[in-house]
Amino acid sequence: MLNGLPPRKQEGRRGAYGKVSTVTFQCVLHRIVASALLGSLLSLSFAQVDPDEERPGGLPDLSKQTKAQELKTFHGKKVVGTDAATRASAYKARLKLESDSVFSQIKWRNVGPETQSGRVVDITAPLGDPQQVFVAFATGGLWRTEDDGMSWTSLFDNQASFGIGAVAVSRDGKTIWVGSGESNSQRTSYAGDGVYKSTDGGATWTNMGLPESQHIGQVLIDPKNENTVWVAAIGHLYSEGSDRGVYKTTDGGKTWALVLKGADSATAEMTGCIDMAMDPRNPNVVYASMWTRDRRAWNFLESGDGSALLKTTDGGKTWKKMDGVSSGADAGRIGLAICRSKPDSVFAFVDHQQGDPDWADADERVQSGRLTTQRFLLLDEDKFLAMDRKVLDPFLKANLPADQKVDDVYQKVKDKKMTLKEIRKEMEDKNPTLFTGPGSANVLFRSDDAGKTWKRTEVSNFAEMGGYYWGKMAVDPTDANNLYVMGLPLMHSTDGGTTWKSIGGGAHVDYHAVWFDPRNTKKVWIGNDGGTYLSYDGGDTTRHLNNLSVGQTTTLALDNKTPYNLYVGLQDNGTMRGPSSYRPGRSPMSQWVDIGGGDGSAVAVDPREGNEIVYTASQFGGHGAQNTTTGDRWNARPAAPKGDPPMRFNWISPIVLSPSLPDIVYVGAQRLYRSFDQGRRFQPISPDLTKNLPQGDVPYSTIKDISESPLRFGLIYVGTDDGNVQMTPDGGFQWSLINTPNPDKWVCRVVASKWDEKTVYAAQTGYREDDFKPYLWRSTDYGKNWTSIVGNLPMESINVVREDPNHKEILYVGTDMGVYVTFDGGQTWETLSGALPHTPVHDLQIQAREEDLVIATHGRSVWILPLAKIYSTTPAIRGKDLTLFPVDDYRRSGNLGYERKERWDTSPATAPKISATLFTKDPGAGTLTIKDKDGKVVKQVAFDAARGYNFVDLSLELVAAKPGTANPKDRKVTSAEDVLKDPREADRAQYVRVGEYTLELKVGDKVLTQKWKVTGG
């Protein structure tokens, strides 16, 4: 109960693990043992009652539903997302907070990893300069290389959108169009806010409209008139309506016309354009693939009656449907390609949703004398009994449930106690698609007469290529028979699609982009979830261009070593560990090492001395543990008790160590599980804590986060993706539903306070409804009442909230655009944005010893911010107009300017400098000046002071070096003094001399001075 929590006896604060007082340890141990004994009894009682009995089994078999039924079951409720005008206003509020922040000049430092790279969604280059290659990442920005990936320039760092769907460039590469919002329909496919244009090679950008599109699949530039641009807008992912279809501008983006929209139907507001292809001979001829799709947190609808391939020959005025290509409920995503050298050859790669059309004839591929599923359907009971048992028995054994014996089934049919219809049902219960074939297939259609007629090509050996995440294709601009289709593997055909092979030369999987160098089409640029690859043999072998920090990190943990290590889960790139001292481009990439596979999920590190035990996970609950010293590994995934329904794990399912004793491990499915032996054995300590809502093809109603109070063992909070917040005060014996005022929003974080036992925080997100409002709550009575602490936060989805471990009054949040800090409990928030691109922050932690804030970004890897200045920002400093912090005196080396160098090195010596830190209430023009004792200016630097902290460097060089001015051969020696004189003195730089000086700081009309001196030789 909430009201019956006894006060916790204060036994003194614990130090490092391994140094717990005897009284404290005995107290904790007593509670653990009691909880374990009672918890065992409790788990048995829970196991007897199935909380999911009204919906047994795992995910439903959607192959037995029509698309209309799936639409009604899981997508019946209309969802309206946040409108574009409100989002634009929120972005202006962010920019204002950035400019007003007193911390804008405190810079974040990127620490990788970069070796794994991140998800590439598009690759292109200007026709007039193919050496200049542009690579777009899903959330990692737009980058340009002109030296085959040896170096890169970032072009799209600080816009209102960071997600990218498509890129197009002009012939000279100076005009760039970016369609914002990833066109894949993955769980972290971030929404954009329209189409952007740069006319100066990416130096500056302008949003050119279509703000409600959110996700853009393709951008095409008319090669004959580059002011004419086509945009394929697929539209909102998690809500309906919006800018969807094909848009065209003829005035460089000033105005847009919707030239193709989804056909009027029940799914019109879910139908947009995913891809286009333009005839290079005639830019008025465009093929466009329309796609009906809608994602919810619990299901993804991948096709509908609006899906179709259409063609215009008059610049979009009229469109004709290509009847030879799959359409309607059968058609998922359609990827398009057209051969530049043979434009009548057009290709459509279809994610066919109603199975392989050839499946009914699958038995034709099996020699006579063998029983196939299709041949089984021709049997009746008499033919069944007449069949040779040597043929019949292997088929039955392979397809019947394991608890059915072949002889028993045969005898039941013989005794007329079982029919073939009943046998088929049992087989279908084991494998729902046994007789109907796969729920979806991949079909490549080809036309060699510009779409008049189409033919299917053989696709039987394609692997997983589903439209929700893959579905593009590419054709060699010089050879219409050289084809690539992109999916889990990269499939290649050199005979126009008759035969295929998987290529990639050891590259990563999940392919999204292929671009041919027109100068040599054997040189192919390839993009996948592992980043960018370059091949010189058509893709058979590849070189990984893994030198960008664009990792899509999801979770973060830190250890206490020196330097401390960072542990991060990465989308499709496993779990990695790297040192906090890492410097991208300078440190060896091998310092970041793989310690887990799959899609990196939750990670936890045993905090005791040595930090030997590390817990990692892959998607949907693939939890494991390892001893990094001994190399021992073990499974740390709970198993459901007998009689329980299948376990439901979130994509990022939590694993948490008890702050009382790290051997105690918690893992969340729909129940909360606890282990007392480092994850080797688990028991449930709760009933189903979710709402147990219906789910489609995506696990839902799962536990998303867990937090146990650092001040009280057994006081545990749980947040679920369907909006529940649950609390137990006693290790799982009693549970109370303590929902926030938004009981249906996804709970992304719950945090039990380390400063006050009664205090708990909850963060929620509406991301999966295209709702971008922040939801952040604090309770000071164990969740009985909640207060919003959103304060002045702009409209950005919140992913994480954390307390500062060193300062009670400080909180941090990570949003889908960056990081904020508050010093007053959430009434006012300030940005921490120095040098940090706009990027989603999925997790953050504080290294208390080093006073570092560390963030895991979903697009730009990991960053560290020193907290010393944040900690020292007192009300007294904020109240002063101007503060100059003490500047250290400079000790001048007697060898200054005479450092030993190689003879060939004629570069001037590095000039010494001093660094000043200042804090100003108001921004303005500033100067930092060195004056001698007579008030004469010795050296001065001007700068623009931002509000708050500023860091100013002032060089102590007075006269620059002038190599070659003096010639030692010309020196004249007429006295003893001449003998001792440096013959190259005229060449050398001159610096501020030893002496006493005054530093003068001026910002606006405010002036401060400080005594300062140079000592030494």
Side-chain angles (χ1 to χ4, degrees):
M1 294 186 302
L2 291 177
N3 297 329
L5 287 173
R8 179 178 184 269
K9 181 180 179 181
Q10 297 300 312
E11 294 144 331
R13 294 186 60 184
R14 259 184 308 117
Y17 288 105
K19 299 179 181 179
V20 185
S21 72
T22 302
V23 175
T24 304
F25 180 77
Q26 289 176 344
C27 180
V28 171
L29 184 61
H30 174 76
R31 292 179 182 179
I32 290 172
V33 172
S35 180
L37 293 173
L38 292 174
S40 298
L41 296 174
L42 190 65
S43 67
L44 291 175
S45 67
F46 280 146
Q48 293 169 6
V49 180
D50 183 357
D52 291 338
E53 60 185 356
E54 73 277 14
R55 187 169 53 81
L59 297 178
D61 175 22
L62 297 184
S63 68
K64 295 182 179 179
Q65 287 191 336
T66 66
K67 286 295 175 179
Q69 290 172 329
E70 183 183 353
L71 178 68
K72 181 179 179 181
T73 301
F74 299 112
H75 302 259
K77 181 181 177 181
K78 183 173 181 177
V79 178
V80 178
T82 304
D83 64 272
T86 302
R87 292 181 66 201
S89 177
Y91 183 64
K92 290 181 180 178
R94 156 170 271 277
L95 294 181
K96 182 68 164 58
L97 285 171
E98 287 181 357
S99 65
D100 288 349
S101 175
V102 299
F103 306 118
S104 65
Q105 300 305 302
I106 301 177
K107 306 298 184 184
W108 291 86
R109 174 173 63 87
N110 183 260
V111 289
E114 55 203 321
T115 180
Q116 85 302 320
S117 200
R119 183 162 76 244
V120 172
V121 294
D122 203 4
I123 304 174
T124 191
L127 286 174
D129 185 11
Q131 188 63 32
Q132 188 181 177
V133 178
F134 295 79
V135 177
F137 292 84
T139 54
L142 176 65
W143 299 77
R144 178 179 60 219
T145 180
E146 299 179 64
D147 51 16
D148 285 355
M150 295 296 290
S151 62
W152 298 87
T153 302
S154 181
L155 303 176
F156 199 72
D157 279 352
N158 292 295
Q159 309 304 318
S161 297
F162 50 81
I164 296 177
V167 178
V169 295
S170 61
R171 179 173 288 274
D172 62 5
K174 292 183 179 179
T175 298
I176 310 168
W177 291 84
V178 168
S180 67
E182 184 181 4
S183 60
N184 291 322
S185 299
Q186 200 245 27
R187 56 186 44 80
T188 56
S189 294
Y190 278 92
D193 67 335
V195 60
Y196 286 77
K197 178 183 179 182
S198 173
T199 58
D200 52 14
T204 60
W205 294 89
T206 303
N207 187 308
M208 302 306 296
L210 307 183
E212 288 286 9
S213 58
Q214 288 202 7
H215 299 272
I216 290 175
Q218 184 63 276
V219 179
L220 298 177
I221 301 175
D222 184 336
K224 297 181 179 181
N225 178 5
E226 292 188 346
N227 279 322
T228 297
V229 178
W230 302 66
V231 171
I234 187 61
H236 292 194
L237 178 58
Y238 285 102
S239 58
E240 300 172 30
S242 79
D243 296 337
R244 296 177 189 258
V246 177
Y247 290 84
K248 181 181 179 182
T249 180
T250 57
D251 54 14
K254 295 177 183 177
T255 59
W256 294 90
L258 176 61
V259 296
L260 178 63
K261 64 179 181 178
D264 290 336
S265 67
T267 60
E269 289 191 298
M270 300 177 180
T271 303
C273 184
I274 185 62
D275 203 1
M276 298 182 297
M278 180 182 288
D279 190 323
R281 299 165 301 188
N282 181 358
N284 285 322
V285 177
V286 174
Y287 302 82
S289 56
M290 302 296 284
W291 183 24
T292 298
R293 65 94 164 93
D294 185 53
R295 184 156 190 151
R296 304 292 168 92
W298 48 84
N299 191 68
F300 181 45
L301 182 74
E302 298 183 65
S303 67
D305 49 17
S307 299
L309 176 61
L310 298 100
K311 177 185 178 181
T312 180
T313 58
D314 55 12
K317 296 177 182 176
T318 60
W319 295 84
K320 179 182 179 182
K321 181 181 175 183
M322 301 286 97
D323 292 326
V325 178
S326 298
S327 62
D330 287 353
R333 178 172 178 168
I334 304 174
L336 301 176
I338 191 167
C339 182
R340 176 170 291 276
S341 63
K342 190 180 177 183
D344 284 344
S345 293
V346 186
F347 302 86
F349 180 52
V350 181
D351 177 30
H352 194 83
Q353 288 290 300
Q354 293 302 318
D356 186 345
D358 282 346
W359 181 258
D361 299 323
D363 59 342
E364 294 181 3
R365 304 170 193 168
V366 179
Q367 61 188 356
S368 297
R370 294 178 60 185
L371 183 59
T372 67
T373 54
Q374 300 304 302
R375 293 170 187 173
F376 180 84
L377 297 177
L378 302 175
L379 294 175
D380 57 22
E381 282 74 8
D382 292 336
K383 294 184 181 69
F384 177 88
L385 295 172
M387 182 160 288
D388 186 345
R389 292 289 298 271
K390 292 181 180 179
V391 175
L392 180 63
D393 287 8
F395 178 83
L396 294 176
K397 185 176 182 180
N399 295 297
L400 281 170
D403 59 355
Q404 286 280 21
K405 294 182 179 180
V406 171
D407 288 342
D408 291 345
V409 170
Y410 189 85
Q411 190 63 42
K412 288 179 181 178
V413 175
K414 190 174 182 179
D415 295 341
K416 298 185 178 181
K417 295 180 179 179
M418 192 175 203
T419 65
L420 259 64
K421 184 178 180 180
E422 291 170 329
I423 293 176
R424 175 176 175 176
K425 182 179 184 304
E426 293 210 9
M427 290 180 176
E428 288 180 324
D429 286 342
K430 178 182 178 182
N431 180 1
T433 62
L434 182 64
F435 296 99
T436 59
S440 62
N442 309 287
V443 183
L444 181 63
F445 292 89
R446 173 174 182 157
S447 174
D448 289 305
D449 54 12
K452 294 178 183 177
T453 60
W454 297 85
K455 62 180 180 180
R456 289 181 58 248
T457 64
E458 177 59 52
V459 295
S460 60
N461 61 345
F462 278 13
E464 194 172 354
M465 319 288 281
Y468 91 100
Y469 198 47
W470 308 290
K472 290 185 178 182
M473 69 164 303
V475 57
D476 186 331
T478 65
D479 181 0
N481 288 319
N482 188 25
L483 310 174
Y484 295 80
V485 292
M486 287 156 257
L488 181 71
L490 179 62
M491 302 297 293
H492 185 206
S493 175
T494 57
D495 55 13
T498 301
T499 61
W500 297 86
K501 69 175 182 177
S502 176
I503 61 171
H508 201 83
V509 294
D510 295 329
Y511 290 84
H512 308 288
V514 169
W515 181 79
F516 298 89
D517 190 321
R519 300 166 298 182
N520 171 18
T521 56
K522 282 284 187 180
K523 182 180 179 183
V524 181
W525 291 72
I526 299 168
N528 57 34
D529 276 19
T532 312
Y533 292 79
L534 185 55
S535 175
Y536 295 93
D537 56 11
D540 289 335
T541 61
T542 60
R543 175 166 65 90
H544 194 187
L545 307 180
N546 58 339
N547 53 353
L548 290 176
S549 291
V550 288
Q552 292 185 303
T553 60
T554 55
T555 52
L556 172 69
L558 312 175
D559 67 21
N560 290 309
K561 295 182 179 180
T562 303
Y564 65 92
N565 288 303
L566 323 167
Y567 301 76
V568 291
L570 297 115
Q571 188 273 328
D572 208 33
N573 283 277
T575 303
M576 301 188 76
R577 181 188 67 222
S580 56
S581 57
Y582 188 82
R583 297 293 192 274
R586 299 167 65 182
S587 301
M589 289 187 186
S590 59
Q591 288 185 355
W592 275 96
V593 297
D594 294 311
I595 60 171
D599 281 86
S601 181
V603 58
V605 180
D606 191 316
R608 289 173 289 200
E609 187 174 353
N611 305 123
E612 293 179 337
I613 310 300
V614 178
Y615 301 82
T616 62
S618 57
Q619 62 272 32
F620 297 130
H623 294 283
Q626 57 186 289
N627 186 309
T628 56
T629 299
T630 65
D632 292 342
R633 292 175 177 265
W634 59 95
N635 177 42
R637 177 188 172 103
K642 188 175 181 179
D644 261 23
M647 300 175 76
R648 300 189 302 272
F649 286 98
N650 199 274
W651 179 261
I652 306 294
S653 59
I655 184 166
V656 173
L657 309 187
S658 172
S660 295
L661 188 64
D663 286 347
I664 302 174
V665 182
Y666 300 99
V667 168
Q670 67 265 41
R671 293 191 185 195
L672 182 63
Y673 288 79
R674 182 178 59 200
S675 168
F676 287 102
D677 56 4
Q678 299 178 332
R680 291 175 172 84
R681 293 170 297 178
F682 283 92
Q683 287 184 329
I685 62 170
S686 79
D688 187 336
L689 297 176
T690 74
K691 294 182 175 69
N692 190 25
L693 297 173
Q695 56 184 314
D697 55 9
V698 181
Y700 186 61
S701 281
T702 68
I703 292 174
K704 183 63 182 71
D705 200 30
I706 307 162
S707 182
E708 183 179 33
S709 171
L711 303 176
R712 183 188 186 90
F713 174 72
L715 174 56
I716 306 169
Y717 298 90
V718 165
T720 71
D721 55 15
D722 57 12
N724 279 354
V725 182
Q726 302 264 15
M727 185 275 283
T728 176
D730 49 20
F733 302 121
Q734 305 172 84
W735 285 92
S736 297
L737 184 65
I738 54 169
N739 280 354
T740 74
N742 286 93
D744 298 318
K745 295 295 181 183
W746 182 294
V747 181
C748 45
R749 283 296 188 282
V750 286
V751 177
S753 174
K754 70 160 289 181
W755 298 104
D756 176 63
E757 184 182 298
K758 297 180 181 180
T759 297
V760 59
Y761 300 90
Q764 296 175 275
T765 176
Y767 166 86
R768 289 160 185 82
E769 300 161 276
D770 290 328
D771 171 9
F772 299 97
K773 292 189 290 292
Y775 299 96
L776 186 62
W777 311 94
R778 179 179 59 227
S779 172
T780 57
D781 54 9
Y782 302 103
K784 185 176 181 181
N785 297 285
W786 295 92
T787 301
S788 173
I789 56 170
V790 165
N792 62 325
L793 285 172
M795 189 174 289
E796 297 170 11
S797 296
I798 295 175
N799 300 311
V800 58
V801 56
R802 299 283 184 213
E803 290 183 316
D804 190 285
N806 298 319
H807 292 266
K808 182 178 181 179
E809 71 278 8
I810 299 179
L811 287 174
Y812 309 92
V813 294
T815 75
D816 276 349
M817 288 290 277
V819 185
Y820 295 85
V821 62
T822 181
F823 296 83
D824 58 11
Q827 296 181 57
T828 54
W829 294 87
E830 299 173 89
T831 59
L832 298 175
S833 57
L836 184 68
H838 291 164
T839 181
V841 176
H842 276 205
D843 203 357
L844 63 83
Q845 301 285 350
I846 298 91
Q847 221 294 342
R849 182 193 68 214
E850 300 296 330
E851 298 185 346
D852 280 346
L853 175 60
V854 188
I855 59 171
T857 75
H858 201 71
R860 302 301 281 265
S861 295
V862 184
W863 297 71
I864 295 176
L865 184 78
L867 289 171
K869 291 294 185 292
I870 283 83
Y871 287 167
S872 64
T873 309
T874 63
I877 288 176
R878 291 178 184 267
K880 293 181 180 179
D881 289 333
L882 186 63
T883 300
L884 175 62
F885 294 90
V887 179
D888 291 338
D889 294 336
Y890 178 71
R891 180 173 178 80
R892 176 172 171 163
S893 167
N895 199 38
L896 182 61
Y898 290 85
E899 295 84 354
R900 184 175 180 83
K901 298 190 297 182
E902 297 293 342
R903 289 190 176 185
W904 47 263
D905 186 357
T906 59
S907 61
T910 301
K913 65 181 180 180
I914 58 172
S915 297
T917 300
L918 62 105
F919 189 100
T920 177
K921 185 184 293 186
D922 299 310
T927 57
L928 181 64
T929 307
I930 300 174
K931 293 184 176 181
D932 63 18
K933 60 183 179 180
D934 297 324
K936 182 180 178 181
V937 174
V938 176
K939 193 67 187 288
Q940 185 179 80
V941 62
F943 62 96
D944 290 324
R947 178 177 285 105
Y949 285 101
N950 290 264
F951 306 94
V952 182
D953 290 338
L954 177 57
S955 170
L956 299 183
E957 184 180 76
L958 298 177
V959 178
K962 300 175 182 178
T965 301
N967 186 346
K969 295 180 180 180
D970 295 337
R971 69 177 177 179
K972 296 179 180 180
V973 181
T974 60
S975 66
E977 288 79 8
D978 291 339
V979 172
L980 301 176
K981 190 173 182 180
D982 173 11
R984 294 190 182 275
E985 191 172 71
D987 289 2
R988 303 191 191 278
Q990 297 179 30
Y991 306 99
V992 176
R993 290 179 166 80
V994 172
E996 295 184 353
Y997 299 90
T998 297
L999 289 180
E1000 181 184 272
L1001 172 67
K1002 184 177 182 181
V1003 176
D1005 59 357
K1006 307 295 189 300
V1007 179
L1008 291 177
T1009 61
Q1010 182 182 122
K1011 295 297 182 183
W1012 177 79
K1013 60 185 176 181
V1014 177
T1015 62

